[in-house]
Amino acid sequence: MFSAIMDFGDKLGTALFKLSYNFPNQFYLNFIKENRWKYLTDGLKVTLTVTIFAVLIGVILGFLVAIIRSTHDKTGKLTLLNWVCTVYLTVIRGTPVLVQLLIIYFVIFGSVRVDKVFVAVVAFGINSGAYVAEIIRGGIMSIDQGQFEAGRSIGFNYTQTMIYIILPQVFKNVLPALGNEFIVLLKETSVSGYIALQDLTKGGDIIRSQTYSPLLPLLAVALIYLFFVMILSKLLKILEGRLRNSDH
Amino acid sequence: MTTSEEIKEKSPLISVKDLEKHFTDVHALNGVSVDIYRGDVVFVVGPSGSGKSTFLRCLNRLEEPTSGTILFEGINITDKKCDINKHRQKMGMVFQQFNLFPHMTVMRNLTIGPMKLQHKTKEEAESYAHELLKRVGLETRADAYPNQLSGGQKQRIAIVRALCMRPDVMLFDEPTSALDPEMVGEVLEVMRDLAEDKMTMVVVTHEMAFAKEIATKVLFMAEGQILETGEGREFFENPKTERLKTFLEKVL
């Protein structure tokens, strides 16, 4: 065990040493030569596009499922729809996202030519929707029953109570968790390479396969993800702070 | 000389008949019948678990009665076909836990109902709300958020919120039970003021002295039934049933 760690340290040390005396050459080879940096920027565009649209689909889908599920929990109506939602949640949360992506690409869209970005957006959107649904449902159920009763006692019907009283409070409570889902999704899209979609990760991997030097391109990919995740986390922190300020 | 107005005056505002409520394993209401007239200040008292709150919450169907009828202004509101939301606008409700909307200012809490449900303009709704706020001595807190208020202030705002809908009856579900003792007085003050103003009120409470002071009618409930009914002071001074006598001995 100990020798394995030493060995790993040695290898990493050697790699970094090679890199340090050879950095300009390596940098040139991996990023400048033949405009290889474009693999990264083009890949980044794909990654961000997939993430943003998948988040949109996820939020819309998740919101609908959450409304159906919590309406069923509170009123006992919508039994059939609730059953459909439960199946959706069980299947999506019970299987790996990569398997879902492969099935959607090779099985569902198997016989039609279709844009891979679109496939990825659909797959990650449907996947994210399940997690968002549970986040929002949790948010709805966490609002005190007295808030519903107060709304209903004034004369608002169920829908009006939801819109005016409950959802504004839910939104405020679940925003941090939704932001976190956004971050998770950004990283999860890195498996898109399995359907030969050239996202950021795949872009770095293509450079590696052309230059036979894995360290710089993969390090660059990791740093780009890290950069965006840190930016998003920072934004979330600011947003959370704002929400708390208005929480008198 | 019997005009329709006069008949309306004389017939009960709320007429409850054979009300039953079963929860999964509790028989909460066991045949409750009572008439409540305009201007009545009805207090419902009794040991905990006697069904007082359930009875009150059935009146605006926050709790769905199992059987029995409730006529409100002559209309059977237990009928599944009636639009209960319409009738609830005429029945103000005040909760033990206030249940103000925490994401809205006091003014928004007061005006959202009238504006969305009664299609009042912002100016109309706000001017009436201001008038009522002044009446409860909270006109300076219109822009505050509920969490910036004390318990007593919250409950007074909750009462005003219900009043803003111009209800025909006010239902109070233990309005002072969640308050610190020093804040009970300010809420009772508002309720006394309402009673003097001839507002019809149904109040579930443990404030016996207050009930004795302003009630026009008192209902004693135990085990889901009304065991004794009396006229205010008489009820407390000359209890007829043994149950009520022991109850009053314990609480007075």
Side-chain angles (χ1 to χ4, degrees):
Chain A
M1 180 63 190
F2 184 68
S3 72
I5 295 173
M6 288 295 286
D7 196 32
F8 173 76
D10 267 359
K11 278 187 181 151
L12 188 66
T14 316
L16 288 174
F17 176 69
K18 268 192 197 159
L19 181 70
S20 66
Y21 76 80
N22 212 2
F23 185 76
N25 284 341
Q26 282 288 316
F27 190 85
Y28 175 78
L29 174 69
N30 282 299
F31 301 130
I32 313 292
K33 200 178 172 192
E34 291 170 20
N35 277 337
R36 289 194 174 118
W37 56 274
K38 280 202 159 171
Y39 285 114
L40 295 182
T41 52
D42 290 349
L44 179 62
K45 270 185 227 155
V46 170
T47 292
L48 291 180
T49 311
V50 169
T51 306
I52 288 168
F53 284 101
V55 162
L56 279 179
I57 292 181
V59 167
I60 294 168
L61 197 62
F63 181 76
L64 288 176
V65 171
I67 291 290
I68 291 169
R69 297 254 294 151
S70 50
T71 300
H72 175 78
D73 287 354
K74 285 192 178 295
T75 66
K77 291 175 187 163
L78 306 178
T79 314
L80 183 67
L81 277 176
N82 182 61
W83 181 80
V84 173
C85 290
T86 311
V87 170
Y88 161 71
L89 291 178
T90 310
V91 170
I92 295 297
R93 296 198 302 161
T95 55
V97 63
L98 178 53
V99 175
Q100 293 162 19
L101 179 70
L102 292 174
I103 288 177
I104 289 179
Y105 182 62
F106 289 110
V107 180
I108 296 177
F109 290 116
S111 54
V112 278
R113 284 184 70 86
V114 58
D115 183 27
K116 285 178 190 142
V117 172
F118 174 76
V119 174
V121 165
V122 169
F124 289 110
I126 289 176
N127 180 267
S128 177
Y131 294 94
V132 171
E134 289 301 270
I135 292 173
I136 295 180
R137 190 173 78 99
I140 293 174
M141 299 316 264
S142 75
I143 301 290
D144 187 60
Q145 181 66 17
Q147 291 288 312
F148 277 93
E149 293 186 348
R152 299 305 306 269
S153 78
I154 288 175
F156 287 123
N157 61 30
Y158 179 82
T159 313
Q160 290 169 321
T161 306
M162 271 294 191
I163 293 172
Y164 298 132
I165 314 296
I166 306 303
L167 291 179
Q169 299 184 53
V170 170
F171 179 70
K172 219 163 135 175
N173 291 349
V174 303
L175 214 52
L178 284 184
N180 198 47
E181 174 63 23
F182 193 87
I183 289 175
V184 169
L185 199 58
L186 175 73
K187 291 180 288 173
E188 257 180 5
T189 58
S190 62
V191 299
S192 302
Y194 273 87
I195 59 167
L197 176 63
Q198 287 193 21
D199 72 326
L200 178 57
T201 306
K202 188 72 181 175
D205 200 41
I206 290 173
I207 298 177
R208 177 197 60 76
S209 68
Q210 289 181 357
T211 63
Y212 298 107
S213 69
L215 182 64
L216 267 192
L218 295 183
L219 198 64
V221 167
L223 285 176
I224 294 172
Y225 278 113
L226 186 63
F227 173 75
F228 277 95
V229 169
M230 282 169 73
I231 294 271
L232 280 173
S233 308
K234 189 81 196 157
L235 286 177
L236 261 178
K237 272 249 165 62
I238 295 171
L239 200 63
E240 264 179 78
R242 280 226 187 117
L243 288 178
R244 211 171 299 135
N245 284 343
S246 69
D247 212 9
H248 292 287
Chain B
M1 234 188 61
T2 44
T3 63
S4 63
E5 264 310 296
E6 236 170 284
I7 293 170
K8 210 178 148 195
E9 280 300 313
K10 280 182 187 136
S11 61
L13 180 66
I14 303 176
S15 179
V16 180
K17 207 161 178 351
D18 301 328
L19 201 63
E20 298 260 347
K21 174 69 187 178
H22 302 255
F23 291 107
T24 332
D25 46 2
V26 183
H27 196 163
L29 292 180
N30 188 5
V32 172
S33 301
V34 64
D35 284 340
I36 296 164
Y37 292 85
R38 274 167 213 277
D40 271 356
V41 178
V42 179
F43 274 70
V44 187
V45 302
S48 54
S50 59
K52 316 182 289 287
S53 280
T54 308
F55 165 69
L56 191 78
R57 290 160 57 83
C58 279
L59 290 183
N60 68 353
R61 273 178 55 196
L62 273 189
E63 216 68 76
E64 212 53 71
T66 310
S67 67
T69 57
I70 301 167
L71 299 185
F72 175 60
E73 300 181 326
I75 294 160
N76 181 7
I77 59 168
T78 41
D79 185 350
K80 293 277 177 285
K81 273 176 268 167
C82 95
D83 180 11
I84 187 65
N85 299 314
K86 202 103 214 112
H87 300 291
R88 279 188 184 139
Q89 294 182 30
K90 295 275 128 204
M91 309 171 110
M93 185 149 195
V94 176
F95 300 88
Q96 184 177 353
Q97 299 294 342
F98 330 124
N99 297 342
L100 292 178
F101 307 132
H103 59 301
M104 301 176 184
T105 61
V106 164
M107 186 46 84
R108 187 68 180 146
N109 264 278
L110 303 183
T111 55
I112 187 165
M115 284 171 65
K116 302 285 182 198
L117 292 167
Q118 298 173 337
H119 309 293
K120 296 258 162 54
T121 64
K122 194 164 182 249
E123 290 70 35
E124 281 176 302
E126 290 195 347
S127 85
Y128 189 52
H130 260 297
E131 200 179 299
L132 291 172
L133 278 178
K134 206 173 271 176
R135 215 170 120 184
V136 301
L138 288 173
E139 65 272 28
T140 58
R141 307 315 306 271
D143 297 321
Y145 281 86
N147 291 354
Q148 299 170 308
L149 305 175
S150 72
Q153 290 176 332
K154 281 184 200 172
Q155 196 59 301
R156 283 187 280 160
I157 295 296
I159 294 173
V160 171
R161 179 174 69 184
L163 288 174
C164 276
M165 298 295 288
R166 300 172 196 264
D168 293 335
V169 59
M170 287 283 285
L171 312 174
F172 292 86
D173 190 4
E174 305 204 22
T176 57
S177 298
L179 294 176
D180 291 335
E182 75 268 25
M183 293 177 179
V184 170
E186 62 194 67
V187 172
L188 297 186
E189 192 54 50
V190 172
M191 292 171 68
R192 186 179 293 122
D193 186 44
L194 275 179
E196 278 164 11
D197 224 34
K198 295 285 171 248
M199 170 60 79
T200 313
M201 297 161 66
V202 185
V203 187
V204 170
T205 188
H206 296 290
E207 302 282 338
M208 294 302 157
F210 184 60
K212 191 170 170 182
E213 182 194 338
I214 74 164
T216 60
K217 188 174 190 175
V218 188
L219 311 178
F220 175 61
M221 286 188 72
E223 281 127 36
Q225 289 174 314
I226 297 179
L227 292 190
E228 189 166 340
T229 310
E231 309 278 316
R233 195 167 286 272
E234 173 73 10
F235 173 91
F236 290 97
E237 278 160 12
N238 287 315
K240 288 174 189 71
T241 58
E242 264 322 296
R243 273 307 286 276
L244 179 56
K245 272 179 205 159
T246 29
F247 175 71
L248 288 179
E249 270 161 27
K250 272 188 215 148
V251 296
L252 284 181

